[in-house]
Amino acid sequence: MMKTKLCILLLLCPLMAAAQFKGRVVDEAGQPVPYANAALLSARDSALRSVVVAEADGRFSLPVKPDAGLLRLSGLGYQTTFVKVSAAKTALGDLCLKADGLMLSEAVVTAKRPVAKMTGEGLETTVSGTTLEKAGTAEDLLQKIPGVVKKDDKIEVLGRGNPIIYVNGRQVRDNSELQRLNSDEIKSVEVITSPGARYDASVSSVVRIRTVRRKGEGFGVDALANYSQGKSASAHGQLNLTYRKNSLEWFFNSDYSDYKVKIWQSNDQITQVDTLWSLPFTGNTTMRMKTYTLGTGFNYDIAPGHSLGLRYDFSHTFHNHSSSSLLSQIKANGEYYDELASEVTAREDKDPTHMVNAYYVGKIGRGELSVNADFYADGETNHQRTFELSTKDEPRNVPSTEFIRNRLVAGKADYKLPVWGGSLTFGGQYTHTDRHDDYLIPINNWGVATSRSQLKEQNAAGFVEYSKYVPKVGMVTAGVRYEHIDFDYYSGGVRQPEQSRVFDNVFPNLSLATMLGKMQFMAAYSAKTMRPSYFQLSNNVTYANRFLLLTGNPSLAPTIAHDLTLTGVWKFLQGSVSFKHNKDGIIFWGISLPERPATTKITHINKSYSEMQYMLTAAPKFGLWQPSVTGVLMQSWVEMPAFGSERKFNNPLFVGVWNNAFTLPGGFTFNLDYRYQSPGNYQNVYLSKNVHYLGVALSKSFFKDALTITAKGNDLFHSAERVNIFMENSRMINYFKADSRRFELTLRYKFNTSRSKYRGQSAAGSEIDRFSNNKQK
């Protein structure tokens, strides 16, 4: 009996909270200062008694010590502040930190706090109170953050790929969410290029958006209408409703888009085998897609420090058609051989997509417990018909149907608590995915055939991460993540042992954020992985034409990347240098068919290589003009036999971005943004064309910012790209130009909007993105 009581007492001890000093660290604008340091000192000799790191919302708590009478507050980019405390008053309220002036421009000083600062994890850019809050939508804003661009309708961190994006801790699953959020609702944007152990190991970059906290109850409305005109017209509309009362918040989101686009392209496939084949293709593709999404959910604060919520999202693409016309004159050893004319029609019948997220966040003992669960389901049926005429051979009619079904369940739990003057986070994550992919074709010829496959994967992970501010050193963070993956591959209902594998990996991370004189500095190391998409793992063979087939590679291994990044901030300058080694990198590749060497089969293979990236940003302010200039130099080192010889792909690639914001009289805001991309190599690809992009926008708000009208001109130079891909015996030169030069008009109305209280985070990480059936990847 005594042992039982002792066990119960030991279990309850961590939950018994002693008297604590509680407060919130804010800046001069009243906004929270995330991850500030709060240290309790002795009133007699200023000896350190305890220290903690504040939460992302600036809140902290420290145990009351009998002889403690002084509280020291500090943060990167802020002046150290001392506050007298006593055990008689433990509720400290808001405590203000003042900017240290290091980030203020020497030209015209209008802001009272840093525009950019280190957070201990990444680089945070202030939006609220700057010209950035007039950028438009959150998607528009992100393109003005140093090192972030929009490419192929997706946000990309240069050199890091597509990031995981969070808004107030909740993962963004669809870009329409970024269009629903206005830039004047955003407090700050943090870009993390070396995510820690609590993130999935496949996450190579993170963007964390924090919104301005506004008070408001009752109904809120946010409506948007957008019209876009290029060679064809597109339209987009949104209606978002919220209701808040006491501890309950309910929300409803709806989105509709009618998207039309045309792409002009030319392709020259040169294959050197027993004969030198030249296969130039010219043509155009027209696509149209109609999609609507609905989302609803609630958040409920069940008690002080405890909240739970549920969110359900439904989306359906009910019109997704495309058609392509291609013409080619084929030459063999420089002489005319044949002429091909192809018509390709495709229709994608999407099943509705269902996503559910449930969460609980609560104070348990001295720490905070966060639990999330996800469910995801979608499917599609793809119909494609290729009709090909030849002057030399019989015509070919190749119909195909592909059935895809995806299912995912995931759970994640983590616990964060103050330990030894720092912050300890530990937890676990589990993901189960199941994909069925049946490719049906009524012929068994020309290198294509019916195939039926199933891919199952289980990922179980555990992680621990510890952060602590060390006096005279800085913020030190160390963590480790272990992942165990069971991957099973089935073909025709039979498990394939050679493609089915088990992976056990450990991914450490270590970082230091400190001050070097007047410069904020951070050094970070992390190990990450990039898993092949399920399309890249498929064994389906798609017919493009009699000289080109597309397939996946079930034997692909995940990439393991080791990354070291150094980042510095001084006044209005930001710079970074990073080195990354990719073991078993995944590259685009083509092989010749043994039975028909002139035909190339496109797939992916593993190849190890290293790369470096250098970035420098200057963001001064001159009165009404706020320019931002960013230069990024990227270089990869890939050596491999390709197109008949040993080749080195190491030409550097430069990207320059020049954004300009002008605050004009009458409440107008004008933006002029220019981007340049030089020729250069990436993996075994050579981008051979200088690319220039120019965009302008003019916006005006009415009725105390309730109504905003924005007019845009996108891609005024009508940019085009030329891509050279070197493969086993082939070189493919692709030139394409999309319908990207467009005029846009957007109207947005807001009433009684405020920051969402929903705190759910995805348990699935980046796993859902692997379901994408984009054959261009």
Side-chain angles (χ1 to χ4, degrees):
M1 185 68 178
M2 181 63 69
K3 289 183 178 179
T4 301
K5 290 182 178 180
L6 181 60
C7 290
I8 294 174
L9 182 62
L10 290 174
L11 288 172
L12 292 178
C13 278
L15 305 180
M16 299 178 180
Q20 294 188 337
F21 291 114
K22 294 185 178 181
R24 186 173 73 126
V25 186
V26 299
D27 59 20
E28 294 166 284
Q31 298 297 322
V33 176
Y35 313 116
N37 304 295
L40 198 59
L41 309 179
S42 168
R44 184 178 65 256
D45 57 6
S46 297
L48 181 66
R49 289 293 176 259
S50 62
V51 61
V52 296
V53 179
E55 301 291 337
D57 61 0
R59 298 184 186 277
F60 69 91
S61 60
L62 280 163
V64 174
K65 302 292 183 180
D67 63 338
L70 200 61
L71 179 67
R72 182 184 67 202
L73 301 173
S74 60
L76 290 174
Y78 295 94
Q79 298 176 8
T80 299
T81 299
F82 293 89
V83 180
K84 291 183 178 181
V85 295
S86 69
K89 183 181 179 182
T90 58
L92 304 179
D94 288 350
L95 305 172
C96 182
L97 283 180
K98 295 183 178 180
D100 64 4
L102 295 181
M103 298 301 301
L104 300 179
S105 170
E106 293 178 343
V108 178
V109 178
T110 58
K112 295 184 178 181
R113 54 196 173 104
V115 173
K117 65 175 183 289
M118 298 292 184
T119 63
E121 284 190 296
L123 191 61
E124 183 181 74
T125 301
T126 300
V127 177
S128 180
T130 73
T131 55
L132 290 176
E133 68 179 4
K134 299 296 183 182
T137 66
E139 188 179 57
D140 297 326
L141 169 66
L142 289 180
Q143 299 174 66
K144 301 180 185 299
I145 301 300
V148 180
V149 297
K150 182 181 178 182
K151 192 172 183 180
D152 298 330
D153 290 326
K154 292 185 178 181
I155 297 299
E156 178 180 316
V157 176
L158 289 172
R160 308 284 176 167
N162 303 121
I164 299 296
I165 301 175
Y166 292 90
V167 176
N168 296 328
R170 184 182 64 80
Q171 185 173 342
V172 172
R173 282 299 180 192
D174 193 303
N175 272 1
S176 64
E177 294 188 49
L178 299 178
Q179 296 167 358
R180 288 196 291 266
L181 181 62
N182 210 39
S183 56
D184 63 4
E185 301 174 73
I186 297 175
K187 172 185 175 286
S188 63
V189 175
E190 181 183 9
V191 179
I192 302 172
T193 54
S194 298
R198 68 180 184 273
Y199 298 100
D200 188 286
S202 63
V203 176
S204 59
S205 60
V206 173
V207 172
R208 304 188 70 92
I209 299 174
R210 297 181 177 91
T211 61
V212 177
R213 186 180 297 276
R214 294 191 177 102
K215 297 181 179 180
E217 289 198 339
F219 279 101
V221 178
D222 186 347
L224 178 145
N226 172 272
Y227 175 80
S228 173
Q229 180 67 56
K231 293 292 184 180
S232 56
S234 296
H236 173 224
Q238 295 176 357
L239 176 63
N240 310 306
L241 305 175
T242 57
Y243 176 76
R244 295 179 177 87
K245 185 67 175 179
N246 298 326
S247 298
L248 177 67
E249 176 193 64
W250 168 84
F251 55 87
F252 171 82
N253 304 319
S254 61
D255 183 284
Y256 172 81
S257 63
D258 186 352
Y259 180 69
K260 305 172 190 174
V261 67
K262 191 170 185 177
I263 299 174
W264 299 266
Q265 61 180 329
S266 65
N267 185 81
D268 191 3
Q269 179 183 332
I270 303 171
T271 301
Q272 175 67 70
V273 283
D274 53 348
T275 302
L276 178 62
W277 294 92
S278 176
L279 303 95
F281 286 90
T282 59
N284 58 76
T285 300
T286 302
M287 295 183 292
R288 183 173 185 180
M289 182 169 60
K290 295 181 180 179
T291 303
Y292 66 85
T293 62
L294 301 172
T296 188
F298 73 91
N299 177 86
Y300 183 63
D301 296 330
I302 54 180
H306 299 265
S307 66
L308 57 83
L310 179 71
R311 180 185 181 98
Y312 169 69
D313 289 288
F314 170 93
S315 66
H316 184 44
T317 300
F318 56 94
H319 185 106
N320 190 357
H321 292 185
S322 67
S323 61
S324 302
S325 298
L326 301 171
L327 184 65
S328 176
Q329 281 196 350
I330 301 170
K331 294 182 179 181
N333 292 327
E335 296 183 359
Y336 174 85
Y337 177 82
D338 194 6
E339 183 172 310
L340 296 179
S342 302
E343 293 289 335
V344 182
T345 58
R347 186 182 84 246
E348 182 181 79
D349 297 329
K350 294 279 288 185
D351 294 344
T353 297
H354 304 273
M355 287 192 293
V356 181
N357 172 257
Y359 83 93
Y360 164 79
V361 176
K363 296 289 185 180
I364 306 296
R366 297 169 56 230
E368 181 178 85
L369 175 67
S370 175
V371 180
N372 279 265
D374 282 340
F375 170 78
Y376 177 90
D378 77 355
E380 60 190 66
T381 301
N382 301 315
H383 306 274
Q384 180 172 306
R385 181 179 294 275
T386 301
F387 184 71
E388 189 177 72
L389 290 175
S390 167
T391 59
K392 184 179 179 63
D393 297 318
E394 292 293 323
R396 292 184 179 181
N397 184 20
V398 187
S400 64
T401 303
E402 185 177 25
F403 299 93
I404 297 175
R405 299 294 181 269
N406 298 310
R407 297 293 184 270
L408 174 146
V409 291
K412 181 180 180 180
D414 61 72
Y415 187 64
K416 184 176 182 179
L417 76 163
V419 174
W420 301 325
S423 177
L424 176 68
T425 302
F426 59 91
Q429 186 172 356
Y430 174 79
T431 304
H432 174 82
T433 58
D434 188 354
R435 177 183 175 96
H436 290 259
D437 189 348
D438 295 337
Y439 183 73
L440 309 180
I441 188 167
I443 58 176
N444 187 6
N445 202 351
W446 309 320
V448 295
T450 290
S451 63
R452 301 177 185 271
S453 61
Q454 183 181 9
L455 297 87
K456 291 183 178 181
E457 186 172 286
Q458 297 184 76
N459 185 338
F463 57 89
V464 60
E465 190 170 75
Y466 182 71
S467 298
K468 179 173 181 172
Y469 178 78
V470 180
K472 299 182 180 180
V473 176
M475 176 69 72
V476 179
T477 301
V480 64
R481 182 183 182 93
Y482 166 74
E483 291 191 354
H484 172 83
I485 297 176
D486 281 321
F487 175 75
D488 292 310
Y489 182 83
Y490 296 82
S491 179
V494 179
R495 184 178 181 273
Q496 305 298 308
E498 291 186 6
Q499 287 81 25
S500 301
R501 288 157 291 172
V502 175
F503 300 98
D504 289 285
N505 297 108
V506 176
F507 301 97
N509 68 280
L510 179 66
S511 67
L512 168 66
T514 187
M515 299 291 294
L516 296 179
K518 295 184 178 182
M519 181 180 72
Q520 302 176 55
F521 174 79
M522 183 170 69
Y525 163 78
S526 64
K528 292 293 178 181
T529 186
M530 186 178 76
R531 302 184 185 98
S533 70
Y534 287 104
F535 170 74
Q536 292 172 339
L537 291 169
S538 172
N539 67 346
N540 298 346
V541 180
T542 302
Y543 183 91
N545 58 63
R546 61 194 65 198
F547 292 94
L548 187 65
L549 305 174
L550 292 85
T551 188
N553 180 2
S555 299
L556 276 178
T559 300
I560 303 296
H562 297 272
D563 181 277
L564 177 63
T565 299
L566 307 177
T567 307
V569 178
W570 181 74
K571 294 188 177 182
F572 57 80
L573 298 176
Q574 307 170 33
S576 67
V577 178
S578 65
F579 171 81
K580 181 163 61 174
H581 177 70
N582 301 284
K583 182 180 181 297
D584 293 325
I586 300 172
I587 68 172
F588 195 85
W589 192 244
I591 58 175
S592 297
L593 295 184
E595 66 276 15
R596 296 198 315 275
T599 299
T600 298
K601 181 186 287 187
I602 300 296
T603 184
H604 292 80
I605 62 171
N606 289 119
K607 172 66 179 178
S608 299
Y609 65 95
S610 299
E611 57 186 316
M612 286 201 71
Q613 176 177 296
Y614 312 85
M615 184 178 77
L616 181 64
T617 296
K621 191 175 189 302
F622 306 100
L624 302 179
W625 176 35
Q626 173 81 62
S628 174
V629 181
T630 299
V632 181
L633 185 68
M634 296 173 284
Q635 186 170 17
S636 58
W637 288 271
V638 179
E639 295 186 20
M640 60 190 305
F643 195 47
S645 65
E646 188 73 24
R647 295 181 182 271
K648 295 182 178 181
F649 302 96
N650 56 10
N651 292 303
L653 180 70
F654 175 77
V655 176
V657 180
W658 182 22
N659 294 328
N660 300 271
F662 299 88
T663 306
L664 304 177
F668 286 91
T669 301
F670 177 70
N671 288 273
L672 187 150
D673 300 328
Y674 170 75
R675 186 171 70 244
Y676 166 75
Q677 178 181 290
S678 76
N681 283 119
Y682 175 70
Q683 295 182 342
N684 58 321
V685 176
Y686 179 63
L687 306 175
S688 59
K689 191 177 188 303
N690 291 292
V691 179
H692 301 270
Y693 172 92
L694 180 66
V696 296
L698 181 67
S699 64
K700 165 71 174 171
S701 297
F702 303 88
F703 311 120
K704 297 182 179 180
D705 291 337
L707 175 66
T708 302
I709 301 176
T710 303
K712 291 183 182 179
N714 296 325
D715 196 9
L716 300 183
F717 293 151
H718 204 185
S719 58
E721 291 193 48
R722 184 181 290 111
V723 179
N724 295 255
I725 307 173
F726 292 83
M727 297 171 285
E728 182 186 52
N729 297 313
S730 300
R731 177 185 179 186
M732 188 174 291
I733 306 171
N734 183 249
Y735 173 89
F736 59 93
K737 178 181 287 190
D739 187 14
S740 55
R741 181 163 58 188
R742 307 182 70 87
F743 168 78
E744 282 189 34
L745 182 64
T746 303
L747 282 74
R748 183 171 195 142
Y749 173 76
K750 298 183 298 178
F751 168 73
N752 195 28
T753 57
S754 60
R755 170 178 172 174
S756 174
K757 296 181 180 180
Y758 194 84
R759 299 181 66 186
Q761 303 180 36
S762 172
S766 61
E767 190 65 21
I768 292 176
D769 298 331
R770 296 177 65 204
F771 287 142
S772 173
N773 197 37
N774 184 355
K775 293 179 172 55
Q776 300 305 315
K777 289 183 178 181

